[in-house]
Amino acid sequence: MKLSAKSRYASRILLDLALHNEGVPHRVNDISERTGITVPFIEQIIKPLKHAGMVTSKRGASGGHQLSRSPENISLGDIVRIMEGSVELSACLSAPDLCEKTDVCPTRAAWQRATDAMLRELDTISLAELAKGAPNCCQLSDDYFERDS
């Protein structure tokens, strides 16, 4: 399984917003400059993140985007589920009718266990954790997230 560019870029965009979480919206152009993601792709990715309640947006000259939840409360699992929709390792997990052997397949349970393990692990990795491991040029102080609570 390989994640789409949308999932990878959504993670980068949200991490950028977490690193610059000063309570003010950030313009798409600024996000683009910091992340290297094109403005049209950011605008495309922001829509489902807004719909899911991870990002809020404000129009106008002082407008832009910002996190609507604390970085501790946004996991890679959340992001992947929003951007990918179905994340099962085998199509038969979400659409059992695709295979006539679903009920007797000896490997279906293994694919389910592996999918569950992957999602459990992604759910343990928060934006706050990623921000603390960011390069020195954009690393936050140790008390940053305690202040944001």
Side-chain angles (χ1 to χ4, degrees):
M1 181 182 145
K2 186 161 108 174
L3 294 176
S4 69
K6 285 184 178 183
S7 287
R8 295 188 320 272
Y9 287 2
S11 300
R12 283 174 45 194
I13 291 165
L14 291 171
L15 178 58
D16 178 75
L17 293 175
L19 289 167
H20 300 91
N21 194 17
E22 300 99 12
V24 296
H26 293 272
R27 294 182 15 230
V28 172
N29 289 340
D30 296 333
I31 298 167
S32 176
E33 188 175 307
R34 291 189 303 252
T35 63
I37 302 169
T38 65
V39 168
F41 207 30
I42 291 172
E43 290 171 343
Q44 183 182 5
I45 291 169
I46 288 286
K47 287 178 187 177
L49 297 174
K50 280 176 50 176
H51 184 72
M54 286 189 182
V55 173
T56 58
S57 300
K58 180 180 173 187
R59 293 184 183 267
S62 62
H65 307 287
Q66 64 189 79
L67 293 180
S68 58
R69 295 182 358 206
S70 165
E72 292 90 349
N73 295 323
I74 299 174
S75 73
L76 285 181
D78 297 331
I79 299 166
V80 168
R81 284 181 188 91
I82 290 165
M83 301 310 295
E84 300 291 332
S86 176
V87 290
E88 288 84 12
L89 293 175
S90 176
C92 69
L93 298 176
S94 59
D97 296 341
L98 288 177
C99 179
E100 61 190 42
K101 298 189 184 299
T102 295
D103 293 333
V104 295
C105 179
T107 59
R108 187 171 188 268
W111 299 132
Q112 184 66 61
R113 283 180 45 206
T115 298
D116 293 346
M118 175 187 65
L119 290 172
R120 266 194 315 275
E121 186 62 25
L122 289 172
D123 286 339
T124 68
I125 305 168
S126 71
L127 287 180
E129 179 183 341
L130 292 175
K132 288 181 180 180
N136 288 337
C137 64
C138 54
Q139 198 165 24
L140 302 174
S141 64
D142 289 337
D143 70 334
Y144 179 83
F145 292 105
E146 285 87 32
R147 290 183 291 134
D148 190 40
S149 299

Short mmCIF file of all heavy atoms in Angstrom, two decimals, residues 36-87:
data_model
loop_
_atom_site.label_atom_id
_atom_site.label_comp_id
_atom_site.label_asym_id
_atom_site.label_seq_id
_atom_site.Cartn_x
_atom_site.Cartn_y
_atom_site.Cartn_z
N GLY A 36 6.60 24.04 0.16
CA GLY A 36 6.97 23.65 -1.20
C GLY A 36 5.84 23.01 -1.97
O GLY A 36 6.05 22.45 -3.05
N ILE A 37 4.63 23.08 -1.45
CA ILE A 37 3.45 22.53 -2.12
C ILE A 37 2.79 23.66 -2.90
O ILE A 37 2.65 24.78 -2.39
CB ILE A 37 2.47 21.92 -1.09
CG1 ILE A 37 3.17 20.84 -0.26
CG2 ILE A 37 1.23 21.37 -1.79
CD1 ILE A 37 2.38 20.37 0.94
N THR A 38 2.36 23.39 -4.12
CA THR A 38 1.78 24.43 -4.94
C THR A 38 0.46 24.95 -4.35
O THR A 38 -0.27 24.21 -3.68
CB THR A 38 1.51 23.94 -6.38
OG1 THR A 38 0.50 22.92 -6.32
CG2 THR A 38 2.78 23.42 -7.04
N VAL A 39 0.17 26.22 -4.63
CA VAL A 39 -1.06 26.85 -4.14
C VAL A 39 -2.31 26.07 -4.59
O VAL A 39 -3.17 25.78 -3.75
CB VAL A 39 -1.13 28.33 -4.56
CG1 VAL A 39 -2.51 28.92 -4.32
CG2 VAL A 39 -0.06 29.13 -3.81
N PRO A 40 -2.43 25.70 -5.87
CA PRO A 40 -3.64 24.96 -6.26
C PRO A 40 -3.81 23.63 -5.51
O PRO A 40 -4.93 23.24 -5.15
CB PRO A 40 -3.45 24.70 -7.76
CG PRO A 40 -2.48 25.74 -8.21
CD PRO A 40 -1.60 26.00 -7.04
N PHE A 41 -2.69 22.93 -5.25
CA PHE A 41 -2.79 21.66 -4.54
C PHE A 41 -3.17 21.89 -3.08
O PHE A 41 -3.97 21.15 -2.50
CB PHE A 41 -1.48 20.88 -4.67
CG PHE A 41 -1.65 19.38 -4.56
CD1 PHE A 41 -2.80 18.75 -4.97
CD2 PHE A 41 -0.62 18.61 -4.05
CE1 PHE A 41 -2.94 17.36 -4.88
CE2 PHE A 41 -0.75 17.22 -3.95
CZ PHE A 41 -1.92 16.61 -4.37
N ILE A 42 -2.62 22.95 -2.46
CA ILE A 42 -3.00 23.27 -1.08
C ILE A 42 -4.50 23.56 -1.01
O ILE A 42 -5.19 23.05 -0.12
CB ILE A 42 -2.18 24.46 -0.55
CG1 ILE A 42 -0.73 24.05 -0.36
CG2 ILE A 42 -2.78 24.98 0.77
CD1 ILE A 42 0.21 25.20 -0.02
N GLU A 43 -5.00 24.36 -1.95
CA GLU A 43 -6.43 24.69 -1.94
C GLU A 43 -7.29 23.45 -2.10
O GLU A 43 -8.34 23.33 -1.48
CB GLU A 43 -6.72 25.71 -3.05
CG GLU A 43 -6.12 27.08 -2.73
CD GLU A 43 -6.20 28.07 -3.87
OE1 GLU A 43 -6.42 27.64 -5.04
OE2 GLU A 43 -6.02 29.27 -3.60
N GLN A 44 -6.84 22.51 -2.91
CA GLN A 44 -7.57 21.25 -3.11
C GLN A 44 -7.55 20.41 -1.83
O GLN A 44 -8.55 19.80 -1.46
CB GLN A 44 -6.92 20.49 -4.26
CG GLN A 44 -7.60 19.21 -4.63
CD GLN A 44 -6.87 18.49 -5.77
OE1 GLN A 44 -5.82 18.90 -6.23
NE2 GLN A 44 -7.44 17.39 -6.20
N ILE A 45 -6.43 20.38 -1.14
CA ILE A 45 -6.28 19.56 0.06
C ILE A 45 -7.00 20.17 1.25
O ILE A 45 -7.55 19.45 2.09
CB ILE A 45 -4.77 19.35 0.36
CG1 ILE A 45 -4.17 18.44 -0.71
CG2 ILE A 45 -4.55 18.79 1.75
CD1 ILE A 45 -2.66 18.37 -0.69
N ILE A 46 -7.03 21.49 1.34
CA ILE A 46 -7.65 22.17 2.49
C ILE A 46 -9.15 21.86 2.58
O ILE A 46 -9.70 21.74 3.68
CB ILE A 46 -7.42 23.70 2.40
CG1 ILE A 46 -5.95 24.03 2.72
CG2 ILE A 46 -8.36 24.47 3.30
CD1 ILE A 46 -5.55 23.93 4.16
N LYS A 47 -9.82 21.69 1.44
CA LYS A 47 -11.28 21.48 1.45
C LYS A 47 -11.72 20.31 2.33
O LYS A 47 -12.55 20.49 3.22
CB LYS A 47 -11.81 21.33 0.02
CG LYS A 47 -11.82 22.62 -0.75
CD LYS A 47 -12.30 22.43 -2.16
CE LYS A 47 -12.14 23.73 -2.94
NZ LYS A 47 -12.52 23.56 -4.35
N PRO A 48 -11.19 19.10 2.12
CA PRO A 48 -11.63 18.01 3.00
C PRO A 48 -11.18 18.19 4.46
O PRO A 48 -11.86 17.73 5.37
CB PRO A 48 -11.02 16.75 2.38
CG PRO A 48 -9.99 17.21 1.42
CD PRO A 48 -10.33 18.61 1.04
N LEU A 49 -10.06 18.87 4.67
CA LEU A 49 -9.61 19.12 6.04
C LEU A 49 -10.55 20.09 6.75
O LEU A 49 -10.83 19.93 7.94
CB LEU A 49 -8.17 19.66 6.03
CG LEU A 49 -7.11 18.72 5.46
CD1 LEU A 49 -5.77 19.43 5.37
CD2 LEU A 49 -7.01 17.45 6.27
N LYS A 50 -11.05 21.08 6.03
CA LYS A 50 -12.05 22.00 6.59
C LYS A 50 -13.34 21.24 6.89
O LYS A 50 -13.91 21.40 7.97
CB LYS A 50 -12.34 23.14 5.61
CG LYS A 50 -11.34 24.24 5.62
CD LYS A 50 -11.63 25.30 4.57
CE LYS A 50 -13.04 25.80 4.60
NZ LYS A 50 -13.28 26.90 3.64
N HIS A 51 -13.77 20.44 5.93
CA HIS A 51 -15.02 19.68 6.09
C HIS A 51 -14.94 18.75 7.31
O HIS A 51 -15.93 18.54 8.01
CB HIS A 51 -15.32 18.89 4.82
CG HIS A 51 -16.61 18.16 4.86
ND1 HIS A 51 -17.83 18.80 4.78
CD2 HIS A 51 -16.88 16.84 4.98
CE1 HIS A 51 -18.79 17.91 4.86
NE2 HIS A 51 -18.25 16.72 4.98
N ALA A 52 -13.75 18.22 7.58
CA ALA A 52 -13.56 17.31 8.71
C ALA A 52 -13.35 18.05 10.03
O ALA A 52 -13.23 17.43 11.08
CB ALA A 52 -12.36 16.40 8.44
N GLY A 53 -13.28 19.37 9.98
CA GLY A 53 -13.13 20.15 11.21
C GLY A 53 -11.70 20.26 11.73
O GLY A 53 -11.50 20.59 12.89
N MET A 54 -10.72 20.00 10.90
CA MET A 54 -9.33 20.15 11.33
C MET A 54 -8.79 21.54 11.08
O MET A 54 -7.86 21.98 11.74
CB MET A 54 -8.44 19.15 10.59
CG MET A 54 -8.59 17.75 11.06
SD MET A 54 -7.30 16.76 10.31
CE MET A 54 -7.72 15.18 10.97
N VAL A 55 -9.36 22.22 10.09
CA VAL A 55 -8.89 23.53 9.68
C VAL A 55 -10.07 24.49 9.62
O VAL A 55 -11.16 24.10 9.22
CB VAL A 55 -8.21 23.44 8.28
CG1 VAL A 55 -7.85 24.81 7.74
CG2 VAL A 55 -6.98 22.56 8.34
N THR A 56 -9.83 25.73 10.04
CA THR A 56 -10.80 26.79 9.83
C THR A 56 -10.19 27.79 8.87
O THR A 56 -8.96 27.93 8.81
CB THR A 56 -11.20 27.49 11.13
OG1 THR A 56 -10.02 28.02 11.75
CG2 THR A 56 -11.90 26.54 12.09
N SER A 57 -11.05 28.47 8.14
CA SER A 57 -10.57 29.44 7.16
C SER A 57 -11.30 30.75 7.34
O SER A 57 -12.46 30.79 7.77
CB SER A 57 -10.82 28.92 5.74
OG SER A 57 -10.14 27.71 5.55
N LYS A 58 -10.58 31.81 7.01
CA LYS A 58 -11.15 33.16 7.08
C LYS A 58 -10.85 33.85 5.76
O LYS A 58 -9.72 33.82 5.28
CB LYS A 58 -10.50 33.91 8.24
CG LYS A 58 -10.99 35.31 8.44
CD LYS A 58 -10.27 35.96 9.62
CE LYS A 58 -10.65 37.42 9.71
NZ LYS A 58 -9.84 38.10 10.72
N ARG A 59 -11.85 34.47 5.17
CA ARG A 59 -11.68 35.18 3.91
C ARG A 59 -11.20 36.61 4.18
O ARG A 59 -11.29 37.11 5.28
CB ARG A 59 -13.00 35.24 3.14
CG ARG A 59 -13.47 33.90 2.66
CD ARG A 59 -14.74 34.08 1.82
NE ARG A 59 -15.27 32.83 1.39
CZ ARG A 59 -14.98 32.26 0.23
NH1 ARG A 59 -14.15 32.84 -0.60
NH2 ARG A 59 -15.52 31.11 -0.11
N GLY A 60 -10.68 37.22 3.13
CA GLY A 60 -10.31 38.63 3.21
C GLY A 60 -8.82 38.85 3.32
O GLY A 60 -8.02 37.91 3.30
N ALA A 61 -8.47 40.13 3.43
CA ALA A 61 -7.06 40.54 3.45
C ALA A 61 -6.29 39.92 4.61
O ALA A 61 -5.12 39.58 4.48
CB ALA A 61 -6.96 42.05 3.49
N SER A 62 -6.93 39.77 5.74
CA SER A 62 -6.24 39.16 6.90
C SER A 62 -6.65 37.69 7.06
O SER A 62 -6.51 37.13 8.14
CB SER A 62 -6.55 39.94 8.17
OG SER A 62 -7.95 39.91 8.43
N GLY A 63 -7.14 37.12 5.99
CA GLY A 63 -7.63 35.75 6.03
C GLY A 63 -6.55 34.71 5.82
O GLY A 63 -5.37 35.02 5.68
N GLY A 64 -6.99 33.49 5.83
CA GLY A 64 -6.09 32.36 5.65
C GLY A 64 -6.65 31.14 6.36
O GLY A 64 -7.85 31.05 6.64
N HIS A 65 -5.75 30.22 6.70
CA HIS A 65 -6.14 28.95 7.32
C HIS A 65 -5.37 28.75 8.62
O HIS A 65 -4.23 29.19 8.75
CB HIS A 65 -5.85 27.79 6.37
CG HIS A 65 -6.45 27.97 5.01
ND1 HIS A 65 -7.79 27.84 4.77
CD2 HIS A 65 -5.89 28.28 3.82
CE1 HIS A 65 -8.04 28.06 3.49
NE2 HIS A 65 -6.89 28.33 2.89
N GLN A 66 -6.02 28.08 9.55
CA GLN A 66 -5.37 27.70 10.80
C GLN A 66 -6.00 26.42 11.34
O GLN A 66 -7.08 26.03 10.92
CB GLN A 66 -5.44 28.82 11.82
CG GLN A 66 -6.83 29.18 12.28
CD GLN A 66 -6.86 30.44 13.11
OE1 GLN A 66 -6.80 31.53 12.58
NE2 GLN A 66 -6.93 30.27 14.41
N LEU A 67 -5.28 25.78 12.24
CA LEU A 67 -5.82 24.57 12.86
C LEU A 67 -7.04 24.92 13.69
O LEU A 67 -7.06 25.95 14.37
CB LEU A 67 -4.77 23.92 13.76
CG LEU A 67 -3.54 23.33 13.10
CD1 LEU A 67 -2.61 22.73 14.17
CD2 LEU A 67 -3.89 22.28 12.07
N SER A 68 -8.03 24.06 13.68
CA SER A 68 -9.20 24.26 14.53
C SER A 68 -9.16 23.34 15.74
O SER A 68 -10.00 23.45 16.62
CB SER A 68 -10.49 24.04 13.73
OG SER A 68 -10.51 22.75 13.19
N ARG A 69 -8.19 22.46 15.76
CA ARG A 69 -7.98 21.56 16.90
C ARG A 69 -6.53 21.65 17.34
O ARG A 69 -5.66 22.03 16.57
CB ARG A 69 -8.30 20.11 16.51
CG ARG A 69 -9.74 19.92 16.16
CD ARG A 69 -10.22 18.55 15.79
NE ARG A 69 -9.34 17.43 15.72
CZ ARG A 69 -9.57 16.36 14.96
NH1 ARG A 69 -10.64 16.31 14.19
NH2 ARG A 69 -8.74 15.36 14.95
N SER A 70 -6.30 21.26 18.53
CA SER A 70 -4.94 21.24 19.07
C SER A 70 -4.10 20.21 18.31
O SER A 70 -4.61 19.15 17.94
CB SER A 70 -5.01 20.87 20.55
OG SER A 70 -3.75 20.50 21.03
N PRO A 71 -2.81 20.49 18.07
CA PRO A 71 -1.95 19.53 17.37
C PRO A 71 -1.88 18.16 18.07
O PRO A 71 -1.66 17.15 17.42
CB PRO A 71 -0.58 20.21 17.36
CG PRO A 71 -0.89 21.66 17.45
CD PRO A 71 -2.11 21.75 18.33
N GLU A 72 -2.08 18.14 19.37
CA GLU A 72 -2.10 16.87 20.10
C GLU A 72 -3.30 16.02 19.72
O GLU A 72 -3.29 14.81 19.90
CB GLU A 72 -2.12 17.08 21.62
CG GLU A 72 -0.89 17.66 22.19
CD GLU A 72 -0.93 19.18 22.24
OE1 GLU A 72 -1.83 19.79 21.63
OE2 GLU A 72 -0.04 19.76 22.85
N ASN A 73 -4.34 16.67 19.22
CA ASN A 73 -5.60 15.98 18.91
C ASN A 73 -5.79 15.70 17.43
O ASN A 73 -6.91 15.42 16.99
CB ASN A 73 -6.78 16.79 19.45
CG ASN A 73 -6.76 16.86 20.95
OD1 ASN A 73 -6.39 15.90 21.63
ND2 ASN A 73 -7.12 18.00 21.49
N ILE A 74 -4.71 15.79 16.66
CA ILE A 74 -4.75 15.44 15.25
C ILE A 74 -3.67 14.40 15.00
O ILE A 74 -2.48 14.67 15.21
CB ILE A 74 -4.52 16.67 14.34
CG1 ILE A 74 -5.61 17.72 14.57
CG2 ILE A 74 -4.48 16.24 12.87
CD1 ILE A 74 -5.40 19.02 13.82
N SER A 75 -4.07 13.22 14.60
CA SER A 75 -3.10 12.14 14.37
C SER A 75 -2.93 11.89 12.87
O SER A 75 -3.77 12.28 12.05
CB SER A 75 -3.58 10.84 15.04
OG SER A 75 -4.66 10.28 14.33
N LEU A 76 -1.85 11.22 12.54
CA LEU A 76 -1.65 10.81 11.15
C LEU A 76 -2.79 9.89 10.70
O LEU A 76 -3.21 9.93 9.55
CB LEU A 76 -0.31 10.11 10.98
CG LEU A 76 0.92 11.01 10.98
CD1 LEU A 76 2.19 10.17 10.79
CD2 LEU A 76 0.83 12.07 9.91
N GLY A 77 -3.30 9.08 11.62
CA GLY A 77 -4.44 8.23 11.29
C GLY A 77 -5.66 9.04 10.88
O GLY A 77 -6.34 8.70 9.91
N ASP A 78 -5.92 10.13 11.61
CA ASP A 78 -7.04 11.02 11.25
C ASP A 78 -6.85 11.56 9.84
O ASP A 78 -7.78 11.56 9.02
CB ASP A 78 -7.12 12.22 12.21
CG ASP A 78 -7.41 11.84 13.63
OD1 ASP A 78 -8.08 10.82 13.87
OD2 ASP A 78 -6.97 12.60 14.53
N ILE A 79 -5.65 12.03 9.56
CA ILE A 79 -5.36 12.65 8.26
C ILE A 79 -5.51 11.63 7.14
O ILE A 79 -6.14 11.90 6.11
CB ILE A 79 -3.94 13.26 8.27
CG1 ILE A 79 -3.84 14.35 9.33
CG2 ILE A 79 -3.58 13.80 6.89
CD1 ILE A 79 -2.42 14.77 9.66
N VAL A 80 -4.95 10.45 7.33
CA VAL A 80 -5.02 9.41 6.29
C VAL A 80 -6.46 9.01 6.03
O VAL A 80 -6.88 8.86 4.88
CB VAL A 80 -4.14 8.20 6.67
CG1 VAL A 80 -4.43 7.00 5.78
CG2 VAL A 80 -2.67 8.57 6.61
N ARG A 81 -7.25 8.84 7.08
CA ARG A 81 -8.66 8.45 6.88
C ARG A 81 -9.42 9.51 6.08
O ARG A 81 -10.23 9.19 5.23
CB ARG A 81 -9.34 8.21 8.22
CG ARG A 81 -8.97 6.90 8.87
CD ARG A 81 -9.71 6.73 10.21
NE ARG A 81 -9.23 5.60 10.93
CZ ARG A 81 -8.24 5.61 11.83
NH1 ARG A 81 -7.58 6.73 12.10
NH2 ARG A 81 -7.88 4.51 12.46
N ILE A 82 -9.15 10.79 6.38
CA ILE A 82 -9.84 11.87 5.67
C ILE A 82 -9.42 11.90 4.21
O ILE A 82 -10.25 12.00 3.31
CB ILE A 82 -9.55 13.23 6.34
CG1 ILE A 82 -10.25 13.29 7.69
CG2 ILE A 82 -9.98 14.39 5.45
CD1 ILE A 82 -9.76 14.40 8.58
N MET A 83 -8.13 11.81 3.96
CA MET A 83 -7.63 12.00 2.61
C MET A 83 -7.77 10.74 1.74
O MET A 83 -7.96 10.84 0.54
CB MET A 83 -6.17 12.45 2.63
CG MET A 83 -5.94 13.75 3.38
SD MET A 83 -7.03 15.13 2.94
CE MET A 83 -6.55 15.44 1.26
N GLU A 84 -7.68 9.57 2.34
CA GLU A 84 -7.72 8.32 1.57
C GLU A 84 -9.12 7.72 1.51
O GLU A 84 -9.41 6.95 0.60
CB GLU A 84 -6.76 7.28 2.16
CG GLU A 84 -5.31 7.68 2.19
CD GLU A 84 -4.67 7.75 0.83
OE1 GLU A 84 -5.10 7.04 -0.10
OE2 GLU A 84 -3.74 8.56 0.67
N GLY A 85 -9.94 8.00 2.51
CA GLY A 85 -11.22 7.31 2.58
C GLY A 85 -10.97 5.90 3.09
O GLY A 85 -10.68 5.68 4.24
N SER A 86 -10.99 4.94 2.21
CA SER A 86 -10.74 3.56 2.57
C SER A 86 -9.23 3.31 2.64
O SER A 86 -8.49 3.67 1.73
CB SER A 86 -11.37 2.64 1.52
OG SER A 86 -11.07 1.30 1.80
N VAL A 87 -8.79 2.70 3.73
CA VAL A 87 -7.35 2.45 3.90
C VAL A 87 -7.04 0.98 4.11
O VAL A 87 -5.97 0.63 4.59
CB VAL A 87 -6.75 3.29 5.05
CG1 VAL A 87 -6.72 4.74 4.70
CG2 VAL A 87 -7.51 3.05 6.34
#
